[in-house]
Amino acid sequence: LATPATVLESQVQAMVDGVVPADAAQLEKARVAAAGLSSLIGQLSELTQAEAAPLQRSPEPVDLVVLAREIVDASEGLLREHGVTAAIEARGAVTATVDRGQMARALRNIVGNAIAHSPRGGTVSIGLEAGPPISIRVSDQGAGIDEADLPFIFERFYRADRSRGRVPGSGIGLTVARELVTANGGTVEVESTGPTGTTFRIGLSGA
């Protein structure tokens, strides 16, 4: 929070002091800094809610294939922006007793992460298996995660810039996903990674 707040304060103070003109260009810079601060506050709120997920969960039987399709449909704009396609692979229904909203947020974060790290023309694959245990695999076609970064990628605010490039975000999306999956009795891990892509695996118990 301190970094965007300091940037915003310094920009406004420079305009007040007459160091820079209070014109449209400078006001736009201040607006962008304020928007960044607002976004970070929103993400911190999401993290707080995720940490409270065990107390808030309302489990019900959820068809995860249907849920995955809804996530892909909702990500249409992001997919188009990055020039990436998405494919879902499943045989029949895959049902788990979970909190639908929490699982949707977790899967949305992991899919969004895969989209952001896929090259233009690439494909994000979502594979579902009934198990037991139930498995949801989200694979991208990016450059992979550096071995030194792997132990930390689920830690809050950690950003693996060295291998996967700087992608906008505060580094809490995967943390939130882990908290939500764990709250529903599941696990999430990096199953494989390399120069042709990374696969995250969510493991859940059955219905």
mmCIF file with all atom_site columns, all heavy atoms in Angstrom, residues 40-70:
data_model
loop_
_atom_site.group_PDB
_atom_site.id
_atom_site.type_symbol
_atom_site.label_atom_id
_atom_site.label_alt_id
_atom_site.label_comp_id
_atom_site.label_asym_id
_atom_site.label_entity_id
_atom_site.label_seq_id
_atom_site.pdbx_PDB_ins_code
_atom_site.Cartn_x
_atom_site.Cartn_y
_atom_site.Cartn_z
_atom_site.occupancy
_atom_site.B_iso_or_equiv
_atom_site.pdbx_formal_charge
_atom_site.auth_seq_id
_atom_site.auth_comp_id
_atom_site.auth_asym_id
_atom_site.auth_atom_id
_atom_site.pdbx_PDB_model_num
ATOM 1   N N   . LEU A 1 40 ? -5.384  -2.491  -5.289  1.00 0.00 ? 40 LEU A N   1
ATOM 2   C CA  . LEU A 1 40 ? -4.660  -3.252  -4.278  1.00 0.00 ? 40 LEU A CA  1
ATOM 3   C C   . LEU A 1 40 ? -5.488  -3.432  -3.015  1.00 0.00 ? 40 LEU A C   1
ATOM 4   O O   . LEU A 1 40 ? -5.509  -4.506  -2.415  1.00 0.00 ? 40 LEU A O   1
ATOM 5   C CB  . LEU A 1 40 ? -3.333  -2.557  -3.953  1.00 0.00 ? 40 LEU A CB  1
ATOM 6   C CG  . LEU A 1 40 ? -2.427  -3.259  -2.944  1.00 0.00 ? 40 LEU A CG  1
ATOM 7   C CD1 . LEU A 1 40 ? -2.143  -4.691  -3.370  1.00 0.00 ? 40 LEU A CD1 1
ATOM 8   C CD2 . LEU A 1 40 ? -1.127  -2.487  -2.782  1.00 0.00 ? 40 LEU A CD2 1
ATOM 9   N N   . ILE A 1 41 ? -6.210  -2.381  -2.624  1.00 0.00 ? 41 ILE A N   1
ATOM 10  C CA  . ILE A 1 41 ? -7.077  -2.481  -1.449  1.00 0.00 ? 41 ILE A CA  1
ATOM 11  C C   . ILE A 1 41 ? -8.149  -3.542  -1.680  1.00 0.00 ? 41 ILE A C   1
ATOM 12  O O   . ILE A 1 41 ? -8.462  -4.340  -0.795  1.00 0.00 ? 41 ILE A O   1
ATOM 13  C CB  . ILE A 1 41 ? -7.717  -1.117  -1.133  1.00 0.00 ? 41 ILE A CB  1
ATOM 14  C CG1 . ILE A 1 41 ? -6.642  -0.145  -0.627  1.00 0.00 ? 41 ILE A CG1 1
ATOM 15  C CG2 . ILE A 1 41 ? -8.823  -1.256  -0.092  1.00 0.00 ? 41 ILE A CG2 1
ATOM 16  C CD1 . ILE A 1 41 ? -7.120  1.277   -0.484  1.00 0.00 ? 41 ILE A CD1 1
ATOM 17  N N   . GLY A 1 42 ? -8.699  -3.565  -2.900  1.00 0.00 ? 42 GLY A N   1
ATOM 18  C CA  . GLY A 1 42 ? -9.700  -4.566  -3.233  1.00 0.00 ? 42 GLY A CA  1
ATOM 19  C C   . GLY A 1 42 ? -9.141  -5.972  -3.159  1.00 0.00 ? 42 GLY A C   1
ATOM 20  O O   . GLY A 1 42 ? -9.807  -6.898  -2.673  1.00 0.00 ? 42 GLY A O   1
ATOM 21  N N   . GLN A 1 43 ? -7.908  -6.164  -3.624  1.00 0.00 ? 43 GLN A N   1
ATOM 22  C CA  . GLN A 1 43 ? -7.298  -7.489  -3.596  1.00 0.00 ? 43 GLN A CA  1
ATOM 23  C C   . GLN A 1 43 ? -6.974  -7.919  -2.168  1.00 0.00 ? 43 GLN A C   1
ATOM 24  O O   . GLN A 1 43 ? -7.088  -9.100  -1.822  1.00 0.00 ? 43 GLN A O   1
ATOM 25  C CB  . GLN A 1 43 ? -6.035  -7.489  -4.456  1.00 0.00 ? 43 GLN A CB  1
ATOM 26  C CG  . GLN A 1 43 ? -6.336  -7.361  -5.944  1.00 0.00 ? 43 GLN A CG  1
ATOM 27  C CD  . GLN A 1 43 ? -5.077  -7.363  -6.783  1.00 0.00 ? 43 GLN A CD  1
ATOM 28  O OE1 . GLN A 1 43 ? -4.409  -8.374  -6.919  1.00 0.00 ? 43 GLN A OE1 1
ATOM 29  N NE2 . GLN A 1 43 ? -4.755  -6.216  -7.342  1.00 0.00 ? 43 GLN A NE2 1
ATOM 30  N N   . LEU A 1 44 ? -6.582  -6.962  -1.327  1.00 0.00 ? 44 LEU A N   1
ATOM 31  C CA  . LEU A 1 44 ? -6.338  -7.285  0.074   1.00 0.00 ? 44 LEU A CA  1
ATOM 32  C C   . LEU A 1 44 ? -7.637  -7.709  0.761   1.00 0.00 ? 44 LEU A C   1
ATOM 33  O O   . LEU A 1 44 ? -7.644  -8.610  1.608   1.00 0.00 ? 44 LEU A O   1
ATOM 34  C CB  . LEU A 1 44 ? -5.716  -6.082  0.793   1.00 0.00 ? 44 LEU A CB  1
ATOM 35  C CG  . LEU A 1 44 ? -4.260  -5.780  0.435   1.00 0.00 ? 44 LEU A CG  1
ATOM 36  C CD1 . LEU A 1 44 ? -3.843  -4.442  1.029   1.00 0.00 ? 44 LEU A CD1 1
ATOM 37  C CD2 . LEU A 1 44 ? -3.340  -6.884  0.937   1.00 0.00 ? 44 LEU A CD2 1
ATOM 38  N N   . SER A 1 45 ? -8.734  -7.064  0.376   1.00 0.00 ? 45 SER A N   1
ATOM 39  C CA  . SER A 1 45 ? -10.036 -7.462  0.912   1.00 0.00 ? 45 SER A CA  1
ATOM 40  C C   . SER A 1 45 ? -10.374 -8.878  0.480   1.00 0.00 ? 45 SER A C   1
ATOM 41  O O   . SER A 1 45 ? -10.889 -9.678  1.270   1.00 0.00 ? 45 SER A O   1
ATOM 42  C CB  . SER A 1 45 ? -11.112 -6.486  0.418   1.00 0.00 ? 45 SER A CB  1
ATOM 43  O OG  . SER A 1 45 ? -12.398 -6.902  0.842   1.00 0.00 ? 45 SER A OG  1
ATOM 44  N N   . GLU A 1 46 ? -10.063 -9.211  -0.785  1.00 0.00 ? 46 GLU A N   1
ATOM 45  C CA  . GLU A 1 46 ? -10.317 -10.562 -1.283  1.00 0.00 ? 46 GLU A CA  1
ATOM 46  C C   . GLU A 1 46 ? -9.489  -11.586 -0.513  1.00 0.00 ? 46 GLU A C   1
ATOM 47  O O   . GLU A 1 46 ? -9.973  -12.673 -0.183  1.00 0.00 ? 46 GLU A O   1
ATOM 48  C CB  . GLU A 1 46 ? -9.991  -10.646 -2.776  1.00 0.00 ? 46 GLU A CB  1
ATOM 49  C CG  . GLU A 1 46 ? -10.318 -11.994 -3.385  1.00 0.00 ? 46 GLU A CG  1
ATOM 50  C CD  . GLU A 1 46 ? -9.992  -12.080 -4.858  1.00 0.00 ? 46 GLU A CD  1
ATOM 51  O OE1 . GLU A 1 46 ? -9.398  -11.139 -5.401  1.00 0.00 ? 46 GLU A OE1 1
ATOM 52  O OE2 . GLU A 1 46 ? -10.324 -13.115 -5.477  1.00 0.00 ? 46 GLU A OE2 1
ATOM 53  N N   . LEU A 1 47 ? -8.240  -11.235 -0.197  1.00 0.00 ? 47 LEU A N   1
ATOM 54  C CA  . LEU A 1 47 ? -7.386  -12.133 0.564   1.00 0.00 ? 47 LEU A CA  1
ATOM 55  C C   . LEU A 1 47 ? -7.939  -12.359 1.964   1.00 0.00 ? 47 LEU A C   1
ATOM 56  O O   . LEU A 1 47 ? -7.958  -13.487 2.469   1.00 0.00 ? 47 LEU A O   1
ATOM 57  C CB  . LEU A 1 47 ? -5.965  -11.564 0.635   1.00 0.00 ? 47 LEU A CB  1
ATOM 58  C CG  . LEU A 1 47 ? -4.952  -12.362 1.456   1.00 0.00 ? 47 LEU A CG  1
ATOM 59  C CD1 . LEU A 1 47 ? -4.799  -13.778 0.910   1.00 0.00 ? 47 LEU A CD1 1
ATOM 60  C CD2 . LEU A 1 47 ? -3.597  -11.655 1.468   1.00 0.00 ? 47 LEU A CD2 1
ATOM 61  N N   . THR A 1 48 ? -8.422  -11.290 2.593   1.00 0.00 ? 48 THR A N   1
ATOM 62  C CA  . THR A 1 48 ? -9.008  -11.409 3.924   1.00 0.00 ? 48 THR A CA  1
ATOM 63  C C   . THR A 1 48 ? -10.221 -12.337 3.910   1.00 0.00 ? 48 THR A C   1
ATOM 64  O O   . THR A 1 48 ? -10.399 -13.187 4.792   1.00 0.00 ? 48 THR A O   1
ATOM 65  C CB  . THR A 1 48 ? -9.429  -10.024 4.451   1.00 0.00 ? 48 THR A CB  1
ATOM 66  O OG1 . THR A 1 48 ? -8.280  -9.173  4.513   1.00 0.00 ? 48 THR A OG1 1
ATOM 67  C CG2 . THR A 1 48 ? -10.043 -10.129 5.839   1.00 0.00 ? 48 THR A CG2 1
ATOM 68  N N   . GLN A 1 49 ? -11.064 -12.186 2.878   1.00 0.00 ? 49 GLN A N   1
ATOM 69  C CA  . GLN A 1 49 ? -12.232 -13.059 2.754   1.00 0.00 ? 49 GLN A CA  1
ATOM 70  C C   . GLN A 1 49 ? -11.817 -14.510 2.517   1.00 0.00 ? 49 GLN A C   1
ATOM 71  O O   . GLN A 1 49 ? -12.444 -15.430 3.042   1.00 0.00 ? 49 GLN A O   1
ATOM 72  C CB  . GLN A 1 49 ? -13.107 -12.576 1.600   1.00 0.00 ? 49 GLN A CB  1
ATOM 73  C CG  . GLN A 1 49 ? -13.770 -11.233 1.848   1.00 0.00 ? 49 GLN A CG  1
ATOM 74  C CD  . GLN A 1 49 ? -14.524 -10.725 0.636   1.00 0.00 ? 49 GLN A CD  1
ATOM 75  O OE1 . GLN A 1 49 ? -14.782 -11.493 -0.293  1.00 0.00 ? 49 GLN A OE1 1
ATOM 76  N NE2 . GLN A 1 49 ? -14.885 -9.456  0.634   1.00 0.00 ? 49 GLN A NE2 1
ATOM 77  N N   . ALA A 1 50 ? -10.756 -14.702 1.732   1.00 0.00 ? 50 ALA A N   1
ATOM 78  C CA  . ALA A 1 50 ? -10.291 -16.059 1.459   1.00 0.00 ? 50 ALA A CA  1
ATOM 79  C C   . ALA A 1 50 ? -9.794  -16.731 2.736   1.00 0.00 ? 50 ALA A C   1
ATOM 80  O O   . ALA A 1 50 ? -10.021 -17.922 2.953   1.00 0.00 ? 50 ALA A O   1
ATOM 81  C CB  . ALA A 1 50 ? -9.179  -16.029 0.412   1.00 0.00 ? 50 ALA A CB  1
ATOM 82  N N   . GLU A 1 51 ? -9.109  -15.971 3.581   1.00 0.00 ? 51 GLU A N   1
ATOM 83  C CA  . GLU A 1 51 ? -8.603  -16.540 4.834   1.00 0.00 ? 51 GLU A CA  1
ATOM 84  C C   . GLU A 1 51 ? -9.733  -16.912 5.781   1.00 0.00 ? 51 GLU A C   1
ATOM 85  O O   . GLU A 1 51 ? -9.577  -17.781 6.638   1.00 0.00 ? 51 GLU A O   1
ATOM 86  C CB  . GLU A 1 51 ? -7.653  -15.546 5.499   1.00 0.00 ? 51 GLU A CB  1
ATOM 87  C CG  . GLU A 1 51 ? -6.335  -15.378 4.728   1.00 0.00 ? 51 GLU A CG  1
ATOM 88  C CD  . GLU A 1 51 ? -5.429  -14.319 5.318   1.00 0.00 ? 51 GLU A CD  1
ATOM 89  O OE1 . GLU A 1 51 ? -5.962  -13.401 5.998   1.00 0.00 ? 51 GLU A OE1 1
ATOM 90  O OE2 . GLU A 1 51 ? -4.209  -14.394 5.097   1.00 0.00 ? 51 GLU A OE2 1
ATOM 91  N N   . ALA A 1 52 ? -10.886 -16.248 5.611   1.00 0.00 ? 52 ALA A N   1
ATOM 92  C CA  . ALA A 1 52 ? -12.047 -16.565 6.445   1.00 0.00 ? 52 ALA A CA  1
ATOM 93  C C   . ALA A 1 52 ? -12.951 -17.607 5.787   1.00 0.00 ? 52 ALA A C   1
ATOM 94  O O   . ALA A 1 52 ? -14.012 -17.941 6.328   1.00 0.00 ? 52 ALA A O   1
ATOM 95  C CB  . ALA A 1 52 ? -12.855 -15.296 6.723   1.00 0.00 ? 52 ALA A CB  1
ATOM 96  N N   . ALA A 1 53 ? -12.538 -18.143 4.646   1.00 0.00 ? 53 ALA A N   1
ATOM 97  C CA  . ALA A 1 53 ? -13.376 -19.063 3.874   1.00 0.00 ? 53 ALA A CA  1
ATOM 98  C C   . ALA A 1 53 ? -13.855 -20.275 4.666   1.00 0.00 ? 53 ALA A C   1
ATOM 99  O O   . ALA A 1 53 ? -14.999 -20.711 4.487   1.00 0.00 ? 53 ALA A O   1
ATOM 100 C CB  . ALA A 1 53 ? -12.642 -19.508 2.605   1.00 0.00 ? 53 ALA A CB  1
ATOM 101 N N   . PRO A 1 54 ? -13.018 -20.889 5.530   1.00 0.00 ? 54 PRO A N   1
ATOM 102 C CA  . PRO A 1 54 ? -13.509 -22.070 6.272   1.00 0.00 ? 54 PRO A CA  1
ATOM 103 C C   . PRO A 1 54 ? -14.753 -21.786 7.101   1.00 0.00 ? 54 PRO A C   1
ATOM 104 O O   . PRO A 1 54 ? -15.591 -22.674 7.294   1.00 0.00 ? 54 PRO A O   1
ATOM 105 C CB  . PRO A 1 54 ? -12.315 -22.443 7.160   1.00 0.00 ? 54 PRO A CB  1
ATOM 106 C CG  . PRO A 1 54 ? -11.129 -21.918 6.429   1.00 0.00 ? 54 PRO A CG  1
ATOM 107 C CD  . PRO A 1 54 ? -11.594 -20.620 5.812   1.00 0.00 ? 54 PRO A CD  1
ATOM 108 N N   . LEU A 1 55 ? -14.890 -20.559 7.595   1.00 0.00 ? 55 LEU A N   1
ATOM 109 C CA  . LEU A 1 55 ? -16.042 -20.206 8.422   1.00 0.00 ? 55 LEU A CA  1
ATOM 110 C C   . LEU A 1 55 ? -17.245 -19.790 7.577   1.00 0.00 ? 55 LEU A C   1
ATOM 111 O O   . LEU A 1 55 ? -18.376 -19.822 8.062   1.00 0.00 ? 55 LEU A O   1
ATOM 112 C CB  . LEU A 1 55 ? -15.670 -19.050 9.370   1.00 0.00 ? 55 LEU A CB  1
ATOM 113 C CG  . LEU A 1 55 ? -14.513 -19.313 10.335  1.00 0.00 ? 55 LEU A CG  1
ATOM 114 C CD1 . LEU A 1 55 ? -14.211 -18.055 11.147  1.00 0.00 ? 55 LEU A CD1 1
ATOM 115 C CD2 . LEU A 1 55 ? -14.847 -20.475 11.266  1.00 0.00 ? 55 LEU A CD2 1
ATOM 116 N N   . GLN A 1 56 ? -16.993 -19.418 6.333   1.00 0.00 ? 56 GLN A N   1
ATOM 117 C CA  . GLN A 1 56 ? -18.061 -18.884 5.491   1.00 0.00 ? 56 GLN A CA  1
ATOM 118 C C   . GLN A 1 56 ? -18.585 -19.885 4.465   1.00 0.00 ? 56 GLN A C   1
ATOM 119 O O   . GLN A 1 56 ? -19.583 -19.622 3.811   1.00 0.00 ? 56 GLN A O   1
ATOM 120 C CB  . GLN A 1 56 ? -17.549 -17.629 4.760   1.00 0.00 ? 56 GLN A CB  1
ATOM 121 C CG  . GLN A 1 56 ? -17.130 -16.509 5.692   1.00 0.00 ? 56 GLN A CG  1
ATOM 122 C CD  . GLN A 1 56 ? -16.467 -15.357 4.945   1.00 0.00 ? 56 GLN A CD  1
ATOM 123 O OE1 . GLN A 1 56 ? -16.075 -15.494 3.791   1.00 0.00 ? 56 GLN A OE1 1
ATOM 124 N NE2 . GLN A 1 56 ? -16.333 -14.228 5.620   1.00 0.00 ? 56 GLN A NE2 1
ATOM 125 N N   . ARG A 1 57 ? -17.915 -21.006 4.305   1.00 0.00 ? 57 ARG A N   1
ATOM 126 C CA  . ARG A 1 57 ? -18.266 -21.921 3.234   1.00 0.00 ? 57 ARG A CA  1
ATOM 127 C C   . ARG A 1 57 ? -19.638 -22.537 3.425   1.00 0.00 ? 57 ARG A C   1
ATOM 128 O O   . ARG A 1 57 ? -20.083 -22.809 4.544   1.00 0.00 ? 57 ARG A O   1
ATOM 129 C CB  . ARG A 1 57 ? -17.203 -23.011 3.064   1.00 0.00 ? 57 ARG A CB  1
ATOM 130 C CG  . ARG A 1 57 ? -17.075 -23.974 4.216   1.00 0.00 ? 57 ARG A CG  1
ATOM 131 C CD  . ARG A 1 57 ? -15.874 -24.893 4.039   1.00 0.00 ? 57 ARG A CD  1
ATOM 132 N NE  . ARG A 1 57 ? -16.027 -25.772 2.880   1.00 0.00 ? 57 ARG A NE  1
ATOM 133 C CZ  . ARG A 1 57 ? -16.466 -27.021 2.972   1.00 0.00 ? 57 ARG A CZ  1
ATOM 134 N NH1 . ARG A 1 57 ? -16.803 -27.536 4.133   1.00 0.00 ? 57 ARG A NH1 1
ATOM 135 N NH2 . ARG A 1 57 ? -16.549 -27.774 1.883   1.00 0.00 ? 57 ARG A NH2 1
ATOM 136 N N   . SER A 1 58 ? -20.312 -22.740 2.302   1.00 0.00 ? 58 SER A N   1
ATOM 137 C CA  . SER A 1 58 ? -21.628 -23.370 2.288   1.00 0.00 ? 58 SER A CA  1
ATOM 138 C C   . SER A 1 58 ? -21.591 -24.466 1.237   1.00 0.00 ? 58 SER A C   1
ATOM 139 O O   . SER A 1 58 ? -21.932 -24.248 0.071   1.00 0.00 ? 58 SER A O   1
ATOM 140 C CB  . SER A 1 58 ? -22.708 -22.328 1.943   1.00 0.00 ? 58 SER A CB  1
ATOM 141 O OG  . SER A 1 58 ? -23.991 -22.913 1.932   1.00 0.00 ? 58 SER A OG  1
ATOM 142 N N   . PRO A 1 59 ? -21.163 -25.680 1.609   1.00 0.00 ? 59 PRO A N   1
ATOM 143 C CA  . PRO A 1 59 ? -20.940 -26.743 0.632   1.00 0.00 ? 59 PRO A CA  1
ATOM 144 C C   . PRO A 1 59 ? -22.222 -27.277 0.012   1.00 0.00 ? 59 PRO A C   1
ATOM 145 O O   . PRO A 1 59 ? -23.264 -27.345 0.663   1.00 0.00 ? 59 PRO A O   1
ATOM 146 C CB  . PRO A 1 59 ? -20.228 -27.826 1.443   1.00 0.00 ? 59 PRO A CB  1
ATOM 147 C CG  . PRO A 1 59 ? -20.622 -27.570 2.854   1.00 0.00 ? 59 PRO A CG  1
ATOM 148 C CD  . PRO A 1 59 ? -20.807 -26.093 2.979   1.00 0.00 ? 59 PRO A CD  1
ATOM 149 N N   . GLU A 1 60 ? -22.112 -27.651 -1.256  1.00 0.00 ? 60 GLU A N   1
ATOM 150 C CA  . GLU A 1 60 ? -23.207 -28.254 -2.004  1.00 0.00 ? 60 GLU A CA  1
ATOM 151 C C   . GLU A 1 60 ? -22.596 -29.046 -3.153  1.00 0.00 ? 60 GLU A C   1
ATOM 152 O O   . GLU A 1 60 ? -21.462 -28.796 -3.548  1.00 0.00 ? 60 GLU A O   1
ATOM 153 C CB  . GLU A 1 60 ? -24.144 -27.179 -2.556  1.00 0.00 ? 60 GLU A CB  1
ATOM 154 C CG  . GLU A 1 60 ? -23.432 -26.204 -3.499  1.00 0.00 ? 60 GLU A CG  1
ATOM 155 C CD  . GLU A 1 60 ? -24.373 -25.157 -4.065  1.00 0.00 ? 60 GLU A CD  1
ATOM 156 O OE1 . GLU A 1 60 ? -25.396 -25.548 -4.660  1.00 0.00 ? 60 GLU A OE1 1
ATOM 157 O OE2 . GLU A 1 60 ? -24.070 -23.961 -3.902  1.00 0.00 ? 60 GLU A OE2 1
ATOM 158 N N   . PRO A 1 61 ? -23.316 -30.022 -3.722  1.00 0.00 ? 61 PRO A N   1
ATOM 159 C CA  . PRO A 1 61 ? -22.798 -30.738 -4.883  1.00 0.00 ? 61 PRO A CA  1
ATOM 160 C C   . PRO A 1 61 ? -22.677 -29.783 -6.076  1.00 0.00 ? 61 PRO A C   1
ATOM 161 O O   . PRO A 1 61 ? -23.640 -29.106 -6.439  1.00 0.00 ? 61 PRO A O   1
ATOM 162 C CB  . PRO A 1 61 ? -23.851 -31.817 -5.132  1.00 0.00 ? 61 PRO A CB  1
ATOM 163 C CG  . PRO A 1 61 ? -24.576 -31.959 -3.839  1.00 0.00 ? 61 PRO A CG  1
ATOM 164 C CD  . PRO A 1 61 ? -24.583 -30.601 -3.233  1.00 0.00 ? 61 PRO A CD  1
ATOM 165 N N   . VAL A 1 62 ? -21.482 -29.716 -6.661  1.00 0.00 ? 62 VAL A N   1
ATOM 166 C CA  . VAL A 1 62 ? -21.223 -28.796 -7.768  1.00 0.00 ? 62 VAL A CA  1
ATOM 167 C C   . VAL A 1 62 ? -20.666 -29.579 -8.947  1.00 0.00 ? 62 VAL A C   1
ATOM 168 O O   . VAL A 1 62 ? -19.705 -30.346 -8.799  1.00 0.00 ? 62 VAL A O   1
ATOM 169 C CB  . VAL A 1 62 ? -20.222 -27.697 -7.356  1.00 0.00 ? 62 VAL A CB  1
ATOM 170 C CG1 . VAL A 1 62 ? -19.871 -26.809 -8.546  1.00 0.00 ? 62 VAL A CG1 1
ATOM 171 C CG2 . VAL A 1 62 ? -20.790 -26.855 -6.215  1.00 0.00 ? 62 VAL A CG2 1
ATOM 172 N N   . ASP A 1 63 ? -21.257 -29.400 -10.118 1.00 0.00 ? 63 ASP A N   1
ATOM 173 C CA  . ASP A 1 63 ? -20.727 -29.981 -11.355 1.00 0.00 ? 63 ASP A CA  1
ATOM 174 C C   . ASP A 1 63 ? -19.564 -29.096 -11.793 1.00 0.00 ? 63 ASP A C   1
ATOM 175 O O   . ASP A 1 63 ? -19.770 -27.977 -12.266 1.00 0.00 ? 63 ASP A O   1
ATOM 176 C CB  . ASP A 1 63 ? -21.816 -30.029 -12.427 1.00 0.00 ? 63 ASP A CB  1
ATOM 177 C CG  . ASP A 1 63 ? -21.356 -30.763 -13.687 1.00 0.00 ? 63 ASP A CG  1
ATOM 178 O OD1 . ASP A 1 63 ? -20.143 -30.731 -13.985 1.00 0.00 ? 63 ASP A OD1 1
ATOM 179 O OD2 . ASP A 1 63 ? -22.204 -31.346 -14.385 1.00 0.00 ? 63 ASP A OD2 1
ATOM 180 N N   . LEU A 1 64 ? -18.362 -29.597 -11.635 1.00 0.00 ? 64 LEU A N   1
ATOM 181 C CA  . LEU A 1 64 ? -17.174 -28.790 -11.902 1.00 0.00 ? 64 LEU A CA  1
ATOM 182 C C   . LEU A 1 64 ? -16.951 -28.540 -13.387 1.00 0.00 ? 64 LEU A C   1
ATOM 183 O O   . LEU A 1 64 ? -16.307 -27.554 -13.759 1.00 0.00 ? 64 LEU A O   1
ATOM 184 C CB  . LEU A 1 64 ? -15.954 -29.467 -11.282 1.00 0.00 ? 64 LEU A CB  1
ATOM 185 C CG  . LEU A 1 64 ? -15.993 -29.611 -9.758  1.00 0.00 ? 64 LEU A CG  1
ATOM 186 C CD1 . LEU A 1 64 ? -14.795 -30.422 -9.278  1.00 0.00 ? 64 LEU A CD1 1
ATOM 187 C CD2 . LEU A 1 64 ? -16.019 -28.248 -9.079  1.00 0.00 ? 64 LEU A CD2 1
ATOM 188 N N   . VAL A 1 65 ? -17.478 -29.407 -14.238 1.00 0.00 ? 65 VAL A N   1
ATOM 189 C CA  . VAL A 1 65 ? -17.368 -29.180 -15.683 1.00 0.00 ? 65 VAL A CA  1
ATOM 190 C C   . VAL A 1 65 ? -18.195 -27.959 -16.076 1.00 0.00 ? 65 VAL A C   1
ATOM 191 O O   . VAL A 1 65 ? -17.739 -27.088 -16.831 1.00 0.00 ? 65 VAL A O   1
ATOM 192 C CB  . VAL A 1 65 ? -17.805 -30.418 -16.483 1.00 0.00 ? 65 VAL A CB  1
ATOM 193 C CG1 . VAL A 1 65 ? -17.701 -30.150 -17.983 1.00 0.00 ? 65 VAL A CG1 1
ATOM 194 C CG2 . VAL A 1 65 ? -16.958 -31.629 -16.104 1.00 0.00 ? 65 VAL A CG2 1
ATOM 195 N N   . VAL A 1 66 ? -19.396 -27.891 -15.548 1.00 0.00 ? 66 VAL A N   1
ATOM 196 C CA  . VAL A 1 66 ? -20.252 -26.726 -15.800 1.00 0.00 ? 66 VAL A CA  1
ATOM 197 C C   . VAL A 1 66 ? -19.585 -25.470 -15.256 1.00 0.00 ? 66 VAL A C   1
ATOM 198 O O   . VAL A 1 66 ? -19.572 -24.408 -15.906 1.00 0.00 ? 66 VAL A O   1
ATOM 199 C CB  . VAL A 1 66 ? -21.643 -26.923 -15.160 1.00 0.00 ? 66 VAL A CB  1
ATOM 200 C CG1 . VAL A 1 66 ? -22.460 -25.631 -15.236 1.00 0.00 ? 66 VAL A CG1 1
ATOM 201 C CG2 . VAL A 1 66 ? -22.387 -28.061 -15.839 1.00 0.00 ? 66 VAL A CG2 1
ATOM 202 N N   . LEU A 1 67 ? -19.025 -25.581 -14.061 1.00 0.00 ? 67 LEU A N   1
ATOM 203 C CA  . LEU A 1 67 ? -18.354 -24.439 -13.460 1.00 0.00 ? 67 LEU A CA  1
ATOM 204 C C   . LEU A 1 67 ? -17.179 -23.977 -14.316 1.00 0.00 ? 67 LEU A C   1
ATOM 205 O O   . LEU A 1 67 ? -16.976 -22.773 -14.525 1.00 0.00 ? 67 LEU A O   1
ATOM 206 C CB  . LEU A 1 67 ? -17.865 -24.802 -12.056 1.00 0.00 ? 67 LEU A CB  1
ATOM 207 C CG  . LEU A 1 67 ? -17.232 -23.668 -11.244 1.00 0.00 ? 67 LEU A CG  1
ATOM 208 C CD1 . LEU A 1 67 ? -18.241 -22.566 -10.988 1.00 0.00 ? 67 LEU A CD1 1
ATOM 209 C CD2 . LEU A 1 67 ? -16.675 -24.191 -9.921  1.00 0.00 ? 67 LEU A CD2 1
ATOM 210 N N   . ALA A 1 68 ? -16.402 -24.924 -14.825 1.00 0.00 ? 68 ALA A N   1
ATOM 211 C CA  . ALA A 1 68 ? -15.263 -24.578 -15.678 1.00 0.00 ? 68 ALA A CA  1
ATOM 212 C C   . ALA A 1 68 ? -15.719 -23.852 -16.939 1.00 0.00 ? 68 ALA A C   1
ATOM 213 O O   . ALA A 1 68 ? -15.086 -22.882 -17.379 1.00 0.00 ? 68 ALA A O   1
ATOM 214 C CB  . ALA A 1 68 ? -14.477 -25.834 -16.042 1.00 0.00 ? 68 ALA A CB  1
ATOM 215 N N   . ARG A 1 69 ? -16.826 -24.298 -17.520 1.00 0.00 ? 69 ARG A N   1
ATOM 216 C CA  . ARG A 1 69 ? -17.354 -23.631 -18.714 1.00 0.00 ? 69 ARG A CA  1
ATOM 217 C C   . ARG A 1 69 ? -17.772 -22.199 -18.392 1.00 0.00 ? 69 ARG A C   1
ATOM 218 O O   . ARG A 1 69 ? -17.570 -21.281 -19.191 1.00 0.00 ? 69 ARG A O   1
ATOM 219 C CB  . ARG A 1 69 ? -18.534 -24.421 -19.272 1.00 0.00 ? 69 ARG A CB  1
ATOM 220 C CG  . ARG A 1 69 ? -18.137 -25.762 -19.889 1.00 0.00 ? 69 ARG A CG  1
ATOM 221 C CD  . ARG A 1 69 ? -19.305 -26.401 -20.613 1.00 0.00 ? 69 ARG A CD  1
ATOM 222 N NE  . ARG A 1 69 ? -18.930 -27.709 -21.160 1.00 0.00 ? 69 ARG A NE  1
ATOM 223 C CZ  . ARG A 1 69 ? -19.568 -28.838 -20.897 1.00 0.00 ? 69 ARG A CZ  1
ATOM 224 N NH1 . ARG A 1 69 ? -20.621 -28.834 -20.090 1.00 0.00 ? 69 ARG A NH1 1
ATOM 225 N NH2 . ARG A 1 69 ? -19.173 -29.975 -21.445 1.00 0.00 ? 69 ARG A NH2 1
ATOM 226 N N   . GLU A 1 70 ? -18.356 -22.009 -17.226 1.00 0.00 ? 70 GLU A N   1
ATOM 227 C CA  . GLU A 1 70 ? -18.757 -20.665 -16.823 1.00 0.00 ? 70 GLU A CA  1
ATOM 228 C C   . GLU A 1 70 ? -17.536 -19.762 -16.651 1.00 0.00 ? 70 GLU A C   1
ATOM 229 O O   . GLU A 1 70 ? -17.571 -18.577 -17.023 1.00 0.00 ? 70 GLU A O   1
ATOM 230 C CB  . GLU A 1 70 ? -19.562 -20.725 -15.525 1.00 0.00 ? 70 GLU A CB  1
ATOM 231 C CG  . GLU A 1 70 ? -20.929 -21.385 -15.691 1.00 0.00 ? 70 GLU A CG  1
ATOM 232 C CD  . GLU A 1 70 ? -21.660 -21.525 -14.373 1.00 0.00 ? 70 GLU A CD  1
ATOM 233 O OE1 . GLU A 1 70 ? -21.085 -21.147 -13.329 1.00 0.00 ? 70 GLU A OE1 1
ATOM 234 O OE2 . GLU A 1 70 ? -22.803 -22.027 -14.382 1.00 0.00 ? 70 GLU A OE2 1
#
